[in-house]
Amino acid sequence: MIVAGYTGSSPSTPALEFAAKLSKSIPSPLRIVHAFDLPTMDVPMGPGIDPPSQNEVEQWCSEVTTEAEELARTFGAEDVSTQVYVGTAPAALIENAGPDDLIVVGHRGRGELASALLGSVAIQVSAHAPCPVLVITKGASTAAVGPIVVGVDGSQQSRKAVQFAASWADHLGRSLTMVAAWQPQTMVGMAGGWALPMMSDAGDQIEQATLSMLQDIADEVAEAHPSLSITCQAVSGDPAEALVRAGEGATAVIVGSRGRGGFTGLLLGSVSHRVIHSAPVPVGIVR
């Protein structure tokens, strides 16, 4: 199932459009979630007020949910349902999704500062959702029919990202581009735990090791998706910048929520965080 957040604000409309079209292409049911967050007061206000019932909230939000369903069907979705959730938007999306689902969210929701680079909803959902999350970044092209690009560093997170990207590319009839970035400096090996100090020929050795790692993973993907066209790119430079460049004209860029060196306490890995700020296409985050 595809779960899409909708607030009625302009940033949430491209997310709903992408989710609806994807729902038709895969095909998969589409659930549109609208969060109704009760205001909180930090000062005494007299006798307590009973919270509204679910039926009352649904009636209050009916205009938004009706609009969302009509838009989704206009965009091509057929199996559409709506859900009003009493609580915060991140909780609404996370609670309505399971491990086998996909959450689609806009880069910014209603009420978030226009100067913010990325909305807190997108960040929180990407960091804590039980399933992959697709962020429709600001200005992202949602009509591209290029490859699915996925970042690879040999970590378990990136292997999960590759599996998701390959499955999606296969469903949509797209090709898969696997990108791994290496840097000419002391580096922990991606496959065997070795360390290679920088020296005159270190760049060639690192590049060859990176290509070998990519090819091993590509071979695994080809077994599961024999008809999928796969391209491997080992590039020198910053991983986030490499993925943003590779994303030009792509259908989407997919990254793991954390790669090598990510601390479990961080909300989102630095590479994935930077990619969703800068990529010109939708960005998928896989945990």
Side-chain angles (χ1 to χ4, degrees), residues 98-238:
D100 297 326
D101 297 330
L102 171 67
I103 294 175
V104 181
V105 64
H107 69 278
R108 202 160 49 237
R110 185 181 297 278
E112 297 192 54
L113 296 175
S115 61
L117 288 177
L118 188 73
S120 61
V121 172
I123 289 291
Q124 292 179 52
V125 174
S126 297
H128 300 290
C131 61
V133 176
L134 191 67
V135 181
I136 309 303
T137 53
K138 185 177 181 180
S141 169
T142 58
V145 293
I148 302 292
V149 175
V150 59
V152 186
D153 65 4
S155 66
Q156 188 60 35
Q157 288 286 351
S158 78
R159 287 176 179 269
K160 289 181 180 179
V162 169
Q163 292 171 3
F164 171 75
S167 177
W168 189 10
D170 212 0
H171 274 301
L172 296 181
R174 305 286 198 271
S175 61
L176 178 69
T177 299
M178 296 169 47
V179 178
W182 57 273
Q183 296 172 300
Q185 58 215 42
T186 300
M187 174 182 175
V188 176
M190 288 167 283
W194 43 265
L196 184 63
M198 183 171 65
M199 47 192 178
S200 60
D201 61 346
D204 290 341
Q205 295 185 45
I206 295 173
E207 183 178 17
Q208 289 304 311
T210 303
L211 282 170
S212 178
M213 178 271 295
L214 279 172
Q215 191 58 56
D216 288 345
I217 297 176
D219 290 343
E220 295 174 6
V221 172
E223 289 185 13
H225 305 277
S227 63
L228 183 62
S229 174
I230 305 172
T231 301
C232 296
Q233 294 182 6
V235 297
S236 174
D238 178 80

